Amino acid sequence: MPSTDAPPHEFVPVDESTPDLLQQCIDVRIAVFVTEQEFPLDTEIDKYDNPGVSTHILLRLLPSLEPIGTIRITHLSPTEKKLGRLCVLKDYRNFKFGKDLVLAAHDYLLSSPQRVESAEPGRLSVALHSQIYVKGFYAKCGYEEVGPEFDEDGAPHQKMVRYLT
């Protein structure tokens, strides 16, 4: 449930068919992961940003349409998805938009045309690689730890999974 104090906003699914919106998602990611958290640019933009591989959910303010957050959904298979690159600009983190982005990604996955058209939708496995300091956040979103901690891009991470039906 969105924060009642949050400014008016919307969530927009974005893929290669909307290159301007996709660039806005990437710009937010660069601001958070490269500029703020100092991850290298060459690891931020990766093969999962190639056309047809992922969908982003863009969080933007209304009525200005200012982009302030995003999450990437990588389509590994029809029943396996991976969330990643969740970020919200620093000035907006107090509104619980991170949780709202995860829930918007879940809603998108559960209502996507491919899933609706499937004769047997079944359950979706949604994995993510959480930075260690935010494991608790993802646990509150229903994700469970799988396997040992590992290094990804120079930072410790934990694989976590949730099943959607």
Side-chain angles (χ1 to χ4, degrees), residues 114-134:
Q114 299 86 352
R115 182 171 171 78
V116 172
E117 293 169 8
S118 173
E120 293 184 42
R123 72 179 190 168
L124 291 173
S125 169
V126 183
L128 55 87
H129 294 172
S130 172
Q131 292 183 38
I132 297 305
Y133 76 95
V134 290

Side-chain angles (χ1 to χ4, degrees), residues 24-37:
Q24 290 179 19
C25 294
I26 290 172
D27 290 345
V28 170
R29 287 171 38 192
I30 290 170
V32 172
F33 295 120
V34 177
T35 304
E36 182 184 332
Q37 296 184 6

Side-chain angles (χ1 to χ4, degrees), residues 148-161:
E149 293 180 7
F150 60 94
D151 179 84
E152 184 170 272
D153 299 329
H157 283 71
Q158 173 69 55
K159 181 178 181 179
M160 301 182 80
V161 177

Side-chain angles (χ1 to χ4, degrees), residues 97-117:
F97 283 138
K99 181 178 181 184
D100 293 343
L101 276 162
V102 171
L103 296 176
H106 291 170
D107 289 345
Y108 171 82
L109 288 169
L110 291 171
S111 64
S112 70
Q114 299 86 352
R115 182 171 171 78
V116 172
E117 293 169 8

Side-chain angles (χ1 to χ4, degrees), residues 3-37:
S3 169
T4 56
D5 297 331
H9 59 280
E10 67 178 354
F11 298 97
V12 182
V14 175
D15 60 23
E16 67 276 1
S17 69
T18 52
D20 292 345
L21 296 179
L22 182 57
Q23 187 59 54
Q24 290 179 19
C25 294
I26 290 172
D27 290 345
V28 170
R29 287 171 38 192
I30 290 170
V32 172
F33 295 120
V34 177
T35 304
E36 182 184 332
Q37 296 184 6

